[in-house]
Amino acid sequence: MTDYLRKEVKNKLINGDYSCAKEFTLSMFSGKWKIVILYHLGIDGIYRFGELKRLLPQASNKMLTKQLREMEADGIISRTIYPEIPVRVDYSITDLGQSLIPIIVAMYEWGEERLKSMKQDVKFSINEEAIK
Amino acid sequence: MTDYLRKEVKNKLINGDYSCAKEFTLSMFSGKWKIVILYHLGIDGIYRFGELKRLLPQASNKMLTKQLREMEADGIISRTIYPEIPVRVDYSITDLGQSLIPIIVAMYEWGEERLKSMKQDVKFSINEEAIK
DNA sequence: CGGAATCCATAAAGATACTG
DNA sequence: CAGTATCTTTATGGATTCCG
């Protein structure tokens, strides 16, 4: 629903409907790979395109590029081109992006807690029906 | 990417890969309508199916039901059936779901701030290319 | 009332090949 | 190196009809 979410948020912005603040925030990091990329850029610092590819081997060029471009357009990461040969491109988080990190950390902590209690709960078993 | 996210999280859980805590949290509320439903149940209290439909006129039966079932399976909302005729079904947030509300509130606040500063920024204009 | 089942259009993601 | 372009496959969401 990621792309849908971005389109909806865009439409709501155009119509002056700013009542969707939480969806707007959600749209910042709810794309495929976005939250992971943002977290890494926020914690580790600068990454080059190829480094991100190695970090996320499952991500295709197309998807990775798309996510990076969208996050750049949203102002939460920045892209720097060094016109060397071969060309080099650095990605880093912006101040705006950094301001999202506390939320992502809170999500990380909530997830850790939840997974811990699920493991401890003997009654918990992975139910295909329930999760699917 | 919502369904993809749930599938991935499921696979990672099955494989014991619990390193994806933030994605796991994200998968709790990143479905279509989920964050809105959760927020309303968290703030307003109990809703019936029909009330949620009226709250979200754009949501189809299928989608609304799907989101509700998934959130129920995740343990963040609960569903109570009253075998009256016609049948009545109540939805409410669980304690676990309530524990997500602070994160959603933080997202709401971030979004409000961001939208405010975007409005104040004279240079900001809605750029079709940038958002699409 | 609160859904379930089905069909269908569209959109999103993967694979592959190619380029400045 | 850091992407684009294109094609194909798959997933997702909408509309409609029906049911206990």
Side-chain angles (χ1 to χ4, degrees), chain B residues 18-30:
Chain B
Y18 283 19
S19 70
C20 58
K22 50 196 179 308
E23 283 122 313
F24 179 62
T25 305
L26 185 58
S27 77
M28 294 295 109
F29 51 72
S30 117

Side-chain angles (χ1 to χ4, degrees), chain B residues 73-88:
Chain B
D74 287 336
I76 60 178
I77 68 170
S78 69
R79 176 171 179 265
T80 313
I81 307 170
Y82 298 92
E84 310 166 353
I85 295 184
V87 71
R88 171 182 156 206

Side-chain angles (χ1 to χ4, degrees), chain A residues 6-24:
Chain A
R6 285 181 65 83
K7 282 178 202 158
E8 276 303 293
V9 167
K10 169 188 150 192
N11 286 335
K12 288 181 179 175
L13 286 174
I14 289 172
N15 296 328
D17 178 5
Y18 282 20
S19 69
C20 56
K22 50 194 178 309
E23 284 121 313
F24 179 62

Side-chain angles (χ1 to χ4, degrees), chain A residues 1-2 4 6 10 18 23-25 30 32 36 73 96 99-100 107 110-111 114 119 128 130-131, chain B residues 1-2 4 6 10 18 23-25 30 32 36 73 96 99-100 107 110-111 114-115 119 128 130-131:
Chain A
M1 77 148 195
T2 301
Y4 166 84
R6 285 181 65 83
K10 169 188 150 192
Y18 282 20
E23 284 121 313
F24 179 62
T25 305
S30 118
K32 203 168 181 178
V36 185
L96 183 63
S99 69
L100 279 171
M107 288 173 58
W110 190 94
R114 178 62 182 144
K119 278 206 264 192
E128 297 279 328
I131 298 191
Chain B
M1 76 150 196
T2 301
Y4 166 85
R6 286 181 66 83
K10 170 188 151 192
Y18 283 19
E23 283 122 313
F24 179 62
T25 305
S30 117
K32 202 168 179 179
V36 185
L96 183 63
S99 70
L100 280 171
M107 289 173 57
W110 190 94
R114 178 61 181 145
L115 290 170
K119 276 205 265 191
E128 298 278 329
I131 298 193

Side-chain angles (χ1 to χ4, degrees), chain B residues 100-117:
Chain B
L100 280 171
I101 296 295
I103 294 177
I104 295 175
V105 168
M107 289 173 57
Y108 179 79
E109 288 168 354
W110 190 94
E112 284 285 304
E113 276 306 302
R114 178 61 181 145
L115 290 170
K116 203 180 297 176
S117 74

Side-chain angles (χ1 to χ4, degrees), chain A residues 6 32-34 37 49-50 52-53 56 59-73 77 79 89 91:
Chain A
R6 285 181 65 83
K32 203 168 181 178
W33 318 111
K34 278 187 187 176
I37 296 169
F49 186 81
L52 288 172
K53 281 220 67 175
L56 305 167
S60 66
N61 284 353
K62 184 175 145 189
M63 269 303 102
L64 190 52
T65 302
K66 189 181 181 218
Q67 304 309 303
L68 290 168
R69 290 288 141 81
E70 287 181 358
M71 290 196 288
E72 189 192 2
I77 69 171
R79 177 172 179 265
V89 179
Y91 289 95

Side-chain angles (χ1 to χ4, degrees), chain B residues 41-129:
Chain B
L41 294 182
I43 305 299
D44 304 339
I46 294 171
Y47 275 87
R48 297 178 58 174
F49 185 82
E51 292 173 333
L52 289 172
K53 283 221 64 172
R54 255 166 276 136
L55 197 64
L56 306 167
Q58 312 283 22
S60 65
N61 284 353
K62 185 176 148 187
M63 270 302 102
L64 189 52
T65 302
K66 189 179 180 217
Q67 304 308 304
L68 290 168
R69 288 292 139 81
E70 289 181 356
M71 291 196 287
E72 190 192 1
D74 287 336
I76 60 178
I77 68 170
S78 69
R79 176 171 179 265
T80 313
I81 307 170
Y82 298 92
E84 310 166 353
I85 295 184
V87 71
R88 171 182 156 206
V89 179
D90 279 358
Y91 289 94
S92 58
I93 199 167
T94 62
D95 288 349
L96 183 63
Q98 195 70 48
S99 70
L100 280 171
I101 296 295
I103 294 177
I104 295 175
V105 168
M107 289 173 57
Y108 179 79
E109 288 168 354
W110 190 94
E112 284 285 304
E113 276 306 302
R114 178 61 181 145
L115 290 170
K116 203 180 297 176
S117 74
M118 284 167 80
K119 276 205 265 191
Q120 281 169 356
D121 185 353
V122 189
K123 291 182 191 129
F124 169 75
S125 64
I126 293 163
N127 182 331
E128 298 278 329
E129 294 314 306

